[in-house]
Amino acid sequence: MSTSLRRLTRCAVLTALALALSVAEGLVPLTILFPLPGLRLGLANLVTVYALCRLSGREALLILVARCLLGSLLGGNLMALAFSLTGGLLALAVMALLLRLSCLSLFGVSIAGAAAHNTGQILAAMVVLGGKAPLVYLPPLLFCSLVTGAVTGGVSILLVHRVPALGDIKS
């Protein structure tokens, strides 16, 4: 199998995994622990972090965009696309930049990604609603980013160290 076909296959599998994780976490109400509507753990971010570490930034971007588009279509809520894509793109950009710093672990990168995702969603809400009212929601979301980012960061460390890179897989 050619390298380009392997990369395409890996991207397709990772997109499907991210989509499945996104759908599955929608079934687990975090609002029991934190009474904030719409709060999610961010399990699909595991795939984004893995893709940033093991694939190219371009492939991570394609996986993220495909997951957001497919998730909105499957969920029947195209308005959700604005929120998930804005948050996801900002998180991807922040994490890609922070991964270049040797002083920051995947744990810290993931926490920053969670905070960036929540910030992106608030920015999208401000645009959609046409005002600054959603900013009130940002401080509690950023606090929750510490918890959700820490959980996904810990799992990301395990994933990146235990799942082989594309070149390490034998055909």
Side-chain angles (χ1 to χ4, degrees):
M1 185 185 306
S2 72
T3 303
S4 61
L5 185 56
R6 278 190 200 146
R7 290 185 93 73
L8 178 63
T9 303
R10 168 87 35 116
C11 286
V13 168
L14 289 175
T15 299
L17 177 60
L19 187 58
L21 287 170
S22 182
V23 169
E25 78 175 340
L27 302 174
V28 180
L30 277 184
T31 52
I32 293 170
L33 300 174
F34 300 102
L36 295 169
L39 183 66
R40 295 174 66 148
L41 191 53
L43 294 177
N45 190 49
L46 295 169
V47 175
T48 303
V49 172
Y50 178 82
L52 278 171
C53 292
R54 293 290 189 219
L55 304 173
S56 70
R58 182 176 153 263
E59 289 166 316
L61 174 64
L62 291 173
I63 291 167
L64 172 75
V65 170
R67 180 202 27 107
C68 291
L69 284 170
L70 292 170
S72 294
L73 290 172
L74 287 175
N77 186 357
L78 288 180
M79 181 56 76
L81 178 62
F83 295 97
S84 64
L85 198 54
T86 304
L89 290 173
L90 187 56
L92 179 73
V94 166
M95 291 188 301
L97 288 172
L98 292 178
L99 279 170
R100 295 178 183 203
L101 301 176
S102 60
C103 62
L104 200 57
S105 71
L106 280 180
F107 193 73
V109 169
S110 188
I111 291 172
H117 191 279
N118 286 331
T119 302
Q121 288 187 317
I122 292 298
L123 292 172
M126 289 171 59
V127 169
V128 168
L129 297 174
K132 294 182 181 180
L135 282 175
V136 172
Y137 200 45
L138 187 58
L141 280 178
L142 291 177
F143 173 74
C144 290
S145 296
L146 294 172
V147 176
T148 60
V151 169
T152 57
V155 176
S156 292
I157 291 168
L158 293 174
L159 274 176
V160 169
H161 289 104
R162 294 182 187 246
V163 178
L166 181 62
D168 298 339
I169 296 175
K170 307 291 184 237
S171 48

